[in-house]
Each structure stands twice: as structure tokens, then as C-alpha cells.
PDB file of all heavy atoms in Angstrom:
ATOM      1  N   ALA D   1      -4.780  -5.099   0.375  1.00 98.00           N
ATOM      2  CA  ALA D   1      -5.998  -4.967   1.135  1.00 98.00           C
ATOM      3  C   ALA D   1      -5.723  -5.364   2.549  1.00 98.00           C
ATOM      4  O   ALA D   1      -5.078  -6.374   2.819  1.00 98.00           O
ATOM      5  CB  ALA D   1      -7.082  -5.923   0.627  1.00 98.00           C
ATOM      6  N   THR D   2      -6.150  -4.548   3.555  1.00 98.00           N
ATOM      7  CA  THR D   2      -6.108  -4.826   4.888  1.00 98.00           C
ATOM      8  C   THR D   2      -7.630  -4.876   5.410  1.00 98.00           C
ATOM      9  O   THR D   2      -8.492  -4.751   4.703  1.00 98.00           O
ATOM     10  CB  THR D   2      -5.380  -3.750   5.692  1.00 98.00           C
ATOM     11  OG1 THR D   2      -6.262  -2.588   5.811  1.00 98.00           O
ATOM     12  CG2 THR D   2      -4.086  -3.373   5.031  1.00 98.00           C
ATOM     13  N   PRO D   3      -7.768  -5.251   6.679  1.00 97.00           N
ATOM     14  CA  PRO D   3      -9.170  -5.182   7.189  1.00 97.00           C
ATOM     15  C   PRO D   3      -9.874  -3.826   7.079  1.00 97.00           C
ATOM     16  O   PRO D   3     -11.056  -3.772   7.127  1.00 97.00           O
ATOM     17  CB  PRO D   3      -9.047  -5.632   8.666  1.00 97.00           C
ATOM     18  CG  PRO D   3      -7.777  -6.508   8.656  1.00 97.00           C
ATOM     19  CD  PRO D   3      -6.902  -5.874   7.658  1.00 97.00           C
ATOM     20  N   ASP D   4      -9.038  -2.801   6.851  1.00 97.00           N
ATOM     21  CA  ASP D   4      -9.572  -1.460   6.768  1.00 97.00           C
ATOM     22  C   ASP D   4      -9.998  -1.139   5.323  1.00 97.00           C
ATOM     23  O   ASP D   4     -11.069  -0.462   5.120  1.00 97.00           O
ATOM     24  CB  ASP D   4      -8.622  -0.361   7.136  1.00 97.00           C
ATOM     25  CG  ASP D   4      -8.209  -0.496   8.636  1.00 97.00           C
ATOM     26  OD1 ASP D   4      -9.154  -0.776   9.409  1.00 97.00           O
ATOM     27  OD2 ASP D   4      -7.037  -0.352   8.995  1.00 97.00           O
ATOM     28  N   GLY D   5      -9.238  -1.559   4.293  1.00 98.00           N
ATOM     29  CA  GLY D   5      -9.567  -1.161   2.855  1.00 98.00           C
ATOM     30  C   GLY D   5      -8.548  -1.537   1.862  1.00 98.00           C
ATOM     31  O   GLY D   5      -7.738  -2.390   2.148  1.00 98.00           O
ATOM     32  N   LEU D   6      -8.554  -0.812   0.766  1.00 98.00           N
ATOM     33  CA  LEU D   6      -7.737  -1.121  -0.425  1.00 98.00           C
ATOM     34  C   LEU D   6      -6.738   0.037  -0.684  1.00 98.00           C
ATOM     35  O   LEU D   6      -7.177   1.171  -0.709  1.00 98.00           O
ATOM     36  CB  LEU D   6      -8.620  -1.333  -1.638  1.00 98.00           C
ATOM     37  CG  LEU D   6      -7.970  -1.654  -3.000  1.00 98.00           C
ATOM     38  CD1 LEU D   6      -7.225  -3.057  -2.928  1.00 98.00           C
ATOM     39  CD2 LEU D   6      -8.974  -1.528  -4.098  1.00 98.00           C
ATOM     40  N   TRP D   7      -5.563  -0.305  -1.031  1.00 98.00           N
ATOM     41  CA  TRP D   7      -4.547   0.608  -1.532  1.00 98.00           C
ATOM     42  C   TRP D   7      -4.009   0.099  -2.893  1.00 98.00           C
ATOM     43  O   TRP D   7      -4.012  -1.063  -3.148  1.00 98.00           O
ATOM     44  CB  TRP D   7      -3.352   0.719  -0.572  1.00 98.00           C
ATOM     45  CG  TRP D   7      -3.602   1.486   0.623  1.00 98.00           C
ATOM     46  CD1 TRP D   7      -3.171   2.766   0.835  1.00 98.00           C
ATOM     47  CD2 TRP D   7      -4.307   1.148   1.883  1.00 98.00           C
ATOM     48  NE1 TRP D   7      -3.633   3.248   2.114  1.00 98.00           N
ATOM     49  CE2 TRP D   7      -4.265   2.207   2.803  1.00 98.00           C
ATOM     50  CE3 TRP D   7      -5.023   0.006   2.247  1.00 98.00           C
ATOM     51  CZ2 TRP D   7      -4.890   2.287   4.002  1.00 98.00           C
ATOM     52  CZ3 TRP D   7      -5.556  -0.080   3.497  1.00 98.00           C
ATOM     53  CH2 TRP D   7      -5.532   1.073   4.338  1.00 98.00           C
ATOM     54  N   GLY D   8      -3.398   0.980  -3.684  1.00 97.00           N
ATOM     55  CA  GLY D   8      -2.784   0.591  -4.902  1.00 97.00           C
ATOM     56  C   GLY D   8      -1.370   1.072  -5.047  1.00 97.00           C
ATOM     57  O   GLY D   8      -1.046   2.182  -4.481  1.00 97.00           O
ATOM     58  N   PHE D   9      -0.518   0.342  -5.742  1.00 97.00           N
ATOM     59  CA  PHE D   9       0.926   0.731  -5.914  1.00 97.00           C
ATOM     60  C   PHE D   9       1.341   0.492  -7.239  1.00 97.00           C
ATOM     61  O   PHE D   9       0.927  -0.401  -8.007  1.00 97.00           O
ATOM     62  CB  PHE D   9       1.791  -0.035  -4.905  1.00 97.00           C
ATOM     63  CG  PHE D   9       1.503   0.135  -3.378  1.00 97.00           C
ATOM     64  CD1 PHE D   9       0.478  -0.443  -2.821  1.00 97.00           C
ATOM     65  CD2 PHE D   9       2.257   1.157  -2.772  1.00 97.00           C
ATOM     66  CE1 PHE D   9       0.286  -0.188  -1.456  1.00 97.00           C
ATOM     67  CE2 PHE D   9       2.071   1.352  -1.364  1.00 97.00           C
ATOM     68  CZ  PHE D   9       1.011   0.733  -0.829  1.00 97.00           C
ATOM     69  N   ASP D  10       2.305   1.257  -7.723  1.00 94.00           N
ATOM     70  CA  ASP D  10       2.835   1.260  -9.071  1.00 94.00           C
ATOM     71  C   ASP D  10       3.497  -0.152  -9.357  1.00 94.00           C
ATOM     72  O   ASP D  10       4.306  -0.627  -8.627  1.00 94.00           O
ATOM     73  CB  ASP D  10       3.926   2.336  -9.201  1.00 94.00           C
ATOM     74  CG  ASP D  10       4.413   2.506 -10.623  1.00 94.00           C
ATOM     75  OD1 ASP D  10       4.280   1.561 -11.462  1.00 94.00           O
ATOM     76  OD2 ASP D  10       4.873   3.623 -10.938  1.00 94.00           O
ATOM     77  N   GLY D  11       3.044  -0.702 -10.426  1.00 93.00           N
ATOM     78  CA  GLY D  11       3.494  -2.052 -10.792  1.00 93.00           C
ATOM     79  C   GLY D  11       4.963  -2.137 -11.237  1.00 93.00           C
ATOM     80  O   GLY D  11       5.563  -3.176 -11.368  1.00 93.00           O
ATOM     81  N   SER D  12       5.683  -0.989 -11.475  1.00 93.00           N
ATOM     82  CA  SER D  12       7.035  -1.032 -11.821  1.00 93.00           C
ATOM     83  C   SER D  12       7.915  -1.212 -10.583  1.00 93.00           C
ATOM     84  O   SER D  12       9.122  -1.493 -10.742  1.00 93.00           O
ATOM     85  CB  SER D  12       7.387   0.307 -12.504  1.00 93.00           C
ATOM     86  OG  SER D  12       7.347   1.410 -11.578  1.00 93.00           O
ATOM     87  N   GLN D  13       7.411  -1.075  -9.440  1.00 94.00           N
ATOM     88  CA  GLN D  13       8.171  -1.356  -8.223  1.00 94.00           C
ATOM     89  C   GLN D  13       8.466  -2.800  -8.042  1.00 94.00           C
ATOM     90  O   GLN D  13       7.712  -3.690  -8.590  1.00 94.00           O
ATOM     91  CB  GLN D  13       7.432  -0.777  -7.038  1.00 94.00           C
ATOM     92  CG  GLN D  13       7.158   0.671  -6.990  1.00 94.00           C
ATOM     93  CD  GLN D  13       6.551   1.166  -5.731  1.00 94.00           C
ATOM     94  OE1 GLN D  13       7.129   1.458  -4.732  1.00 94.00           O
ATOM     95  NE2 GLN D  13       5.230   1.232  -5.759  1.00 94.00           N
ATOM     96  N   SER D  14       9.432  -3.071  -7.230  1.00 94.00           N
ATOM     97  CA  SER D  14       9.707  -4.511  -6.922  1.00 94.00           C
ATOM     98  C   SER D  14       8.729  -4.929  -5.766  1.00 94.00           C
ATOM     99  O   SER D  14       8.219  -4.088  -5.060  1.00 94.00           O
ATOM    100  CB  SER D  14      11.184  -4.715  -6.396  1.00 94.00           C
ATOM    101  OG  SER D  14      11.286  -4.121  -5.170  1.00 94.00           O
ATOM    102  N   MET D  15       8.577  -6.315  -5.606  1.00 93.00           N
ATOM    103  CA  MET D  15       7.738  -6.735  -4.549  1.00 93.00           C
ATOM    104  C   MET D  15       8.312  -6.386  -3.196  1.00 93.00           C
ATOM    105  O   MET D  15       7.587  -6.023  -2.213  1.00 93.00           O
ATOM    106  CB  MET D  15       7.633  -8.266  -4.669  1.00 93.00           C
ATOM    107  CG  MET D  15       6.573  -8.828  -3.737  1.00 93.00           C
ATOM    108  SD  MET D  15       6.379 -10.611  -3.831  1.00 93.00           S
ATOM    109  CE  MET D  15       5.967 -10.741  -5.656  1.00 93.00           C
ATOM    110  N   ASP D  16       9.598  -6.288  -3.079  1.00 95.00           N
ATOM    111  CA  ASP D  16      10.215  -5.899  -1.725  1.00 95.00           C
ATOM    112  C   ASP D  16       9.812  -4.481  -1.434  1.00 95.00           C
ATOM    113  O   ASP D  16       9.609  -4.056  -0.322  1.00 95.00           O
ATOM    114  CB  ASP D  16      11.729  -6.048  -1.869  1.00 95.00           C
ATOM    115  CG  ASP D  16      12.192  -7.457  -1.744  1.00 95.00           C
ATOM    116  OD1 ASP D  16      11.360  -8.352  -1.377  1.00 95.00           O
ATOM    117  OD2 ASP D  16      13.382  -7.791  -2.134  1.00 95.00           O
ATOM    118  N   GLN D  17       9.846  -3.652  -2.509  1.00 96.00           N
ATOM    119  CA  GLN D  17       9.455  -2.136  -2.245  1.00 96.00           C
ATOM    120  C   GLN D  17       8.101  -2.092  -1.761  1.00 96.00           C
ATOM    121  O   GLN D  17       7.718  -1.290  -0.794  1.00 96.00           O
ATOM    122  CB  GLN D  17       9.672  -1.387  -3.464  1.00 96.00           C
ATOM    123  CG  GLN D  17      11.151  -1.182  -3.817  1.00 96.00           C
ATOM    124  CD  GLN D  17      11.330  -0.438  -5.205  1.00 96.00           C
ATOM    125  OE1 GLN D  17      10.702  -0.917  -6.128  1.00 96.00           O
ATOM    126  NE2 GLN D  17      12.161   0.588  -5.217  1.00 96.00           N
ATOM    127  N   VAL D  18       7.162  -2.830  -2.339  1.00 96.00           N
ATOM    128  CA  VAL D  18       5.718  -2.775  -1.960  1.00 96.00           C
ATOM    129  C   VAL D  18       5.549  -3.375  -0.545  1.00 96.00           C
ATOM    130  O   VAL D  18       4.804  -2.841   0.267  1.00 96.00           O
ATOM    131  CB  VAL D  18       4.887  -3.588  -2.915  1.00 96.00           C
ATOM    132  CG1 VAL D  18       3.470  -3.538  -2.541  1.00 96.00           C
ATOM    133  CG2 VAL D  18       4.991  -2.965  -4.297  1.00 96.00           C
ATOM    134  N   HIS D  19       6.296  -4.406  -0.267  1.00 95.00           N
ATOM    135  CA  HIS D  19       6.221  -5.020   1.083  1.00 95.00           C
ATOM    136  C   HIS D  19       6.591  -3.987   2.128  1.00 95.00           C
ATOM    137  O   HIS D  19       6.046  -3.880   3.251  1.00 95.00           O
ATOM    138  CB  HIS D  19       7.160  -6.212   1.201  1.00 95.00           C
ATOM    139  CG  HIS D  19       6.426  -7.556   0.814  1.00 95.00           C
ATOM    140  ND1 HIS D  19       5.473  -8.080   1.570  1.00 95.00           N
ATOM    141  CD2 HIS D  19       6.711  -8.354  -0.203  1.00 95.00           C
ATOM    142  CE1 HIS D  19       5.048  -9.223   0.975  1.00 95.00           C
ATOM    143  NE2 HIS D  19       5.831  -9.393  -0.073  1.00 95.00           N
ATOM    144  N   ALA D  20       7.692  -3.169   1.829  1.00 95.00           N
ATOM    145  CA  ALA D  20       8.109  -2.102   2.738  1.00 95.00           C
ATOM    146  C   ALA D  20       6.978  -1.092   2.948  1.00 95.00           C
ATOM    147  O   ALA D  20       6.880  -0.599   4.009  1.00 95.00           O
ATOM    148  CB  ALA D  20       9.368  -1.486   2.266  1.00 95.00           C
ATOM    149  N   GLU D  21       6.265  -0.811   1.887  1.00 95.00           N
ATOM    150  CA  GLU D  21       5.145   0.244   2.029  1.00 95.00           C
ATOM    151  C   GLU D  21       3.983  -0.339   2.853  1.00 95.00           C
ATOM    152  O   GLU D  21       3.365   0.540   3.447  1.00 95.00           O
ATOM    153  CB  GLU D  21       4.760   0.579   0.667  1.00 95.00           C
ATOM    154  CG  GLU D  21       5.775   1.334  -0.265  1.00 95.00           C
ATOM    155  CD  GLU D  21       6.069   2.698   0.230  1.00 95.00           C
ATOM    156  OE1 GLU D  21       5.194   3.180   1.007  1.00 95.00           O
ATOM    157  OE2 GLU D  21       7.034   3.278  -0.277  1.00 95.00           O
ATOM    158  N   ILE D  22       3.827  -1.631   2.865  1.00 95.00           N
ATOM    159  CA  ILE D  22       2.707  -2.137   3.592  1.00 95.00           C
ATOM    160  C   ILE D  22       2.755  -1.836   5.066  1.00 95.00           C
ATOM    161  O   ILE D  22       1.751  -1.606   5.733  1.00 95.00           O
ATOM    162  CB  ILE D  22       2.690  -3.667   3.381  1.00 95.00           C
ATOM    163  CG1 ILE D  22       2.196  -3.935   1.895  1.00 95.00           C
ATOM    164  CG2 ILE D  22       1.694  -4.309   4.360  1.00 95.00           C
ATOM    165  CD1 ILE D  22       2.197  -5.395   1.569  1.00 95.00           C
ATOM    166  N   GLY D  23       4.005  -1.669   5.632  1.00 91.00           N
ATOM    167  CA  GLY D  23       4.156  -1.483   7.041  1.00 91.00           C
ATOM    168  C   GLY D  23       3.789  -0.023   7.363  1.00 91.00           C
ATOM    169  O   GLY D  23       3.794   0.326   8.586  1.00 91.00           O
ATOM    170  N   LYS D  24       3.561   0.858   6.414  1.00 95.00           N
ATOM    171  CA  LYS D  24       3.363   2.295   6.736  1.00 95.00           C
ATOM    172  C   LYS D  24       2.187   2.847   5.810  1.00 95.00           C
ATOM    173  O   LYS D  24       2.333   3.955   5.297  1.00 95.00           O
ATOM    174  CB  LYS D  24       4.584   3.144   6.577  1.00 95.00           C
ATOM    175  CG  LYS D  24       5.376   2.887   5.161  1.00 95.00           C
ATOM    176  CD  LYS D  24       6.665   3.665   5.197  1.00 95.00           C
ATOM    177  CE  LYS D  24       7.377   3.388   3.816  1.00 95.00           C
ATOM    178  NZ  LYS D  24       8.642   4.145   3.735  1.00 95.00           N
ATOM    179  N   LEU D  25       1.101   2.098   5.647  1.00 97.00           N
ATOM    180  CA  LEU D  25      -0.017   2.533   4.787  1.00 97.00           C
ATOM    181  C   LEU D  25      -0.600   3.762   5.420  1.00 97.00           C
ATOM    182  O   LEU D  25      -0.913   3.850   6.603  1.00 97.00           O
ATOM    183  CB  LEU D  25      -0.983   1.408   4.722  1.00 97.00           C
ATOM    184  CG  LEU D  25      -0.556   0.133   3.927  1.00 97.00           C
ATOM    185  CD1 LEU D  25      -1.628  -0.883   4.098  1.00 97.00           C
ATOM    186  CD2 LEU D  25      -0.270   0.466   2.470  1.00 97.00           C
ATOM    187  N   ASP D  26      -0.874   4.709   4.567  1.00 97.00           N
ATOM    188  CA  ASP D  26      -1.447   5.930   4.980  1.00 97.00           C
ATOM    189  C   ASP D  26      -3.003   5.937   4.795  1.00 97.00           C
ATOM    190  O   ASP D  26      -3.455   5.795   3.635  1.00 97.00           O
ATOM    191  CB  ASP D  26      -0.914   7.122   4.170  1.00 97.00           C
ATOM    192  CG  ASP D  26      -1.351   8.426   4.673  1.00 97.00           C
ATOM    193  OD1 ASP D  26      -2.325   8.495   5.461  1.00 97.00           O
ATOM    194  OD2 ASP D  26      -0.790   9.525   4.270  1.00 97.00           O
ATOM    195  N   PRO D  27      -3.740   6.052   5.880  1.00 97.00           N
ATOM    196  CA  PRO D  27      -5.224   6.047   5.583  1.00 97.00           C
ATOM    197  C   PRO D  27      -5.763   7.077   4.617  1.00 97.00           C
ATOM    198  O   PRO D  27      -6.784   6.841   3.986  1.00 97.00           O
ATOM    199  CB  PRO D  27      -5.814   6.357   7.058  1.00 97.00           C
ATOM    200  CG  PRO D  27      -4.647   5.911   7.963  1.00 97.00           C
ATOM    201  CD  PRO D  27      -3.407   6.232   7.271  1.00 97.00           C
ATOM    202  N   LYS D  28      -5.000   8.235   4.458  1.00 97.00           N
ATOM    203  CA  LYS D  28      -5.426   9.229   3.521  1.00 97.00           C
ATOM    204  C   LYS D  28      -5.341   8.765   2.066  1.00 97.00           C
ATOM    205  O   LYS D  28      -6.013   9.333   1.178  1.00 97.00           O
ATOM    206  CB  LYS D  28      -4.590  10.490   3.770  1.00 97.00           C
ATOM    207  CG  LYS D  28      -4.852  11.139   5.084  1.00 97.00           C
ATOM    208  CD  LYS D  28      -4.000  12.362   5.188  1.00 97.00           C
ATOM    209  CE  LYS D  28      -4.226  13.040   6.573  1.00 97.00           C
ATOM    210  NZ  LYS D  28      -3.339  14.244   6.758  1.00 97.00           N
ATOM    211  N   THR D  29      -4.483   7.857   1.829  1.00 97.00           N
ATOM    212  CA  THR D  29      -4.270   7.283   0.439  1.00 97.00           C
ATOM    213  C   THR D  29      -5.016   6.014   0.181  1.00 97.00           C
ATOM    214  O   THR D  29      -4.890   5.454  -0.922  1.00 97.00           O
ATOM    215  CB  THR D  29      -2.789   7.062   0.085  1.00 97.00           C
ATOM    216  OG1 THR D  29      -2.242   6.092   1.020  1.00 97.00           O
ATOM    217  CG2 THR D  29      -1.962   8.341   0.300  1.00 97.00           C
ATOM    218  N   MET D  30      -5.870   5.600   1.137  1.00 98.00           N
ATOM    219  CA  MET D  30      -6.729   4.507   0.889  1.00 98.00           C
ATOM    220  C   MET D  30      -7.743   4.759  -0.222  1.00 98.00           C
ATOM    221  O   MET D  30      -8.297   5.807  -0.294  1.00 98.00           O
ATOM    222  CB  MET D  30      -7.409   4.071   2.170  1.00 98.00           C
ATOM    223  CG  MET D  30      -8.298   2.838   2.091  1.00 98.00           C
ATOM    224  SD  MET D  30      -9.025   2.371   3.706  1.00 98.00           S
ATOM    225  CE  MET D  30     -10.172   3.704   3.863  1.00 98.00           C
ATOM    226  N   LEU D  31      -8.007   3.824  -1.094  1.00 98.00           N
ATOM    227  CA  LEU D  31      -8.897   4.069  -2.203  1.00 98.00           C
ATOM    228  C   LEU D  31     -10.309   3.856  -1.821  1.00 98.00           C
ATOM    229  O   LEU D  31     -11.240   4.614  -2.149  1.00 98.00           O
ATOM    230  CB  LEU D  31      -8.562   3.153  -3.332  1.00 98.00           C
ATOM    231  CG  LEU D  31      -7.278   3.480  -4.166  1.00 98.00           C
ATOM    232  CD1 LEU D  31      -6.808   2.294  -4.946  1.00 98.00           C
ATOM    233  CD2 LEU D  31      -7.426   4.763  -4.932  1.00 98.00           C
ATOM    234  N   ILE D  32     -10.675   2.781  -0.994  1.00 98.00           N
ATOM    235  CA  ILE D  32     -11.952   2.451  -0.662  1.00 98.00           C
ATOM    236  C   ILE D  32     -11.890   1.667   0.657  1.00 98.00           C
ATOM    237  O   ILE D  32     -11.027   0.883   0.826  1.00 98.00           O
ATOM    238  CB  ILE D  32     -12.757   1.739  -1.773  1.00 98.00           C
ATOM    239  CG1 ILE D  32     -14.264   1.584  -1.415  1.00 98.00           C
ATOM    240  CG2 ILE D  32     -12.145   0.400  -2.032  1.00 98.00           C
ATOM    241  CD1 ILE D  32     -15.099   1.129  -2.564  1.00 98.00           C
TER     242      ILE D  32
END
């Protein structure tokens, strides 16, 4: 969650992989 909204990621990924994705969140894939 950022001040803009909520995103979801596959739980099979490592925490490092998800951290890397956080830096490039796509507004189009925001859930709410």
C-alpha cells in the first residue's frame, strides 16, 4: 500500500523480488 492505493503480488516470490517491484508500481495494476 502506498498513499495512492493497494497492489498485490504472488506469495511465491521472495521478499527481495517484491521490494524490487515496489519501486516501479504501475497505476494500471492498482487494485483500489
Side-chain angles (χ1 to χ4, degrees):
T2 73
D4 294 323
L6 177 72
W7 283 258
F9 295 86
D10 190 336
S12 67
Q13 297 183 88
S14 70
M15 191 178 299
D16 287 343
Q17 288 175 314
V18 178
H19 274 292
E21 295 288 345
I22 291 174
K24 50 184 179 181
L25 294 172
D26 186 348
K28 293 180 180 179
T29 61
M30 183 176 69
L31 290 166
I32 189 170

